[in-house]
Amino acid sequence: MEIIFLDQNKWIELAQVHSGRTKGGPIAQLFPRLVAAVREGRVLFPLSVANIIETAKRNDHVSRRLIAETQAMLSLGYVHRSRAARIEVELRAAIQRRFGIEPEPMPAHWAIALGFMQAFEPMDELTASPGELARVGRMTSLVDPAALYLDYMITQDDTRRREANAKLSQGLSGLVARIEGRRARFAGESLDMRRRIYAAQSWVDHLDVLNRIVAALGYSFDDLSALGDSAMRALLEDVPTMNVEVEMATRLEAKTGALSANDVLDVQSFYTAIPYSDRVIAEKAAISHAQQAKLDSKYGVILSRSLEDLSEHYLG
């Protein structure tokens, strides 16, 4: 089964077909074939947390419903797991490899989970508390996950939805401001130096997780450090979510012009999808950054700018 990630603009294109606004052309021909291929188990379009957030923040309830219906049809309620859960698994395996231990094999598509709640750390079955895990399990066993996602998008209290979106926007604005501050501090540095700086910050941000996992494996941070600087650099590159984030964020910060919340969501989408998708279809700038970093060859993913690139596989 092929796993395909779509950024939000591609979901909007498909929703235009679903709504009947786009009646002709290649995307109109493609959409019903994609729906059929999903039903046949040939392909799946899991959502990222960024997809969910961007759909939920649409204030027009009709467009929000149409996009959610389109996403429900093609995702079947599956999502990419939370960032914290992915890093937990990836980092543990990377540390084991540094010490010459073969990690326990993970099931195919382990980073794809059923139920939109699992895109969020507190409700991801790999990181959730026992009580939350039981609650999520009951919900997904009683209601079809695709229907549960659609219900969430169209029936949630509008006042609460707007309040939640306002808080999210504030958080994203704060993150953009911090990134802009870092851009200003390192404006004269080369791309390679920016990458090194971002990688070092990434380790600082995840030091508690690193120490906890190292201790759980029966080692100490000193044992890990004793492997040498090259081993530590290789460790970061062996953690896909962190590695893609460093590469994408470094290039984002090096571009000219002001950054936006959408730029941050693009980075989030790419470090979520690239390691665990067969194809990623997104906007030109983000795809170019990923190709410059050679992430497509490293992770064996096809990077596309247009839905029409799917025609050769799902038309005819």
Side-chain angles (χ1 to χ4, degrees):
M1 179 173 63
E2 188 174 27
I3 301 296
I4 300 178
F5 172 80
L6 304 180
D7 79 356
Q8 193 69 4
N9 286 330
K10 307 310 177 189
W11 282 114
I12 292 171
E13 283 187 57
L14 292 175
Q16 293 289 319
V17 177
H18 171 57
S19 70
R21 292 181 182 176
T22 300
K23 299 181 184 298
I27 306 304
Q29 296 175 17
L30 179 64
F31 179 63
R33 299 298 182 91
L34 295 180
V35 173
V38 168
R39 290 173 178 168
E40 294 164 4
R42 295 167 52 203
V43 63
L44 189 66
F45 296 80
L47 303 176
S48 71
V49 67
N51 290 142
I52 298 169
I53 288 170
E54 291 190 85
T55 300
K57 74 179 184 181
R58 296 181 76 88
N59 289 328
D60 181 80
H61 71 279
V62 174
S63 66
R64 187 171 69 251
R65 174 179 59 80
L66 290 169
I67 294 172
E69 286 175 350
T70 306
Q71 292 173 327
M73 279 189 281
L74 296 181
S75 72
L76 300 181
Y78 282 89
V79 297
H80 289 269
R81 286 195 182 281
S82 69
R83 181 180 188 276
R86 296 194 317 275
I87 287 179
E88 183 85 16
V89 173
E90 295 167 358
L91 186 54
R92 180 183 179 87
I95 292 170
Q96 288 178 310
R97 283 190 284 268
R98 297 284 79 74
F99 286 110
I101 302 169
E102 185 65 27
E104 181 180 349
M106 296 295 290
H109 304 312
W110 68 267
I112 309 299
L114 186 58
F116 80 93
M117 302 87 70
Q118 295 205 65
F120 301 89
E121 179 183 351
M123 294 171 281
D124 189 316
E125 64 186 0
L126 297 185
T127 53
S129 65
E132 192 64 34
L133 183 60
R135 188 176 76 86
V136 172
R138 287 194 299 272
M139 291 174 66
T140 53
S141 65
L142 294 172
V143 184
D144 173 74
L148 187 63
Y149 175 71
L150 185 57
D151 181 72
Y152 171 78
M153 285 298 174
I154 65 178
T155 67
Q156 60 182 307
D157 178 77
D158 198 58
T159 299
R160 292 178 61 187
R161 183 188 64 79
R162 288 174 184 266
E163 289 174 351
N165 289 335
K167 290 180 181 178
L168 174 65
S169 295
Q170 289 175 359
L172 287 173
S173 296
L175 180 56
V176 170
R178 291 194 295 275
I179 293 173
E180 290 286 17
R182 187 164 58 227
R183 288 177 85 192
R185 288 197 304 275
F186 304 116
E189 301 292 351
S190 66
L191 183 67
D192 183 61
M193 180 55 68
R194 284 175 178 268
R195 183 189 298 109
R196 290 170 182 266
I197 293 168
Y198 199 101
Q201 184 61 53
S202 184
W203 276 128
V204 171
D205 293 342
H206 294 90
L207 198 55
D208 288 346
V209 179
L210 177 66
N211 283 329
R212 175 171 52 77
I213 295 175
V214 167
L217 291 172
Y219 298 99
S220 69
F221 188 78
D222 289 340
D223 294 327
L224 190 62
S225 298
L227 297 177
D229 291 342
S230 61
M232 291 298 287
R233 287 194 296 271
L235 178 61
L236 177 63
E237 294 181 0
D238 200 18
V239 182
T241 297
M242 294 172 66
N243 176 237
V244 174
E245 180 180 8
V246 167
E247 295 292 347
M248 291 295 295
T250 299
R251 283 163 175 79
L252 176 65
E253 291 184 15
K255 80 169 193 173
T256 58
L259 301 180
S260 69
N262 285 336
D263 291 321
V264 174
L265 290 174
D266 283 343
V267 172
Q268 186 181 67
S269 293
F270 272 55
Y271 69 59
T272 298
I274 280 181
Y276 301 108
S277 301
D278 297 297
R279 186 187 294 266
V280 170
I281 307 178
E283 296 304 293
K284 180 179 179 180
I287 290 292
S288 295
H289 289 157
Q291 289 173 331
Q292 291 164 12
K294 296 182 172 55
L295 296 175
D296 49 348
S297 58
K298 179 168 184 174
Y299 293 103
V301 59
I302 298 170
L303 301 176
S304 301
R305 296 175 174 85
S306 174
L307 287 166
E308 292 184 33
D309 292 340
L310 296 177
S311 296
E312 61 181 283
H313 299 285
Y314 298 100
L315 285 178

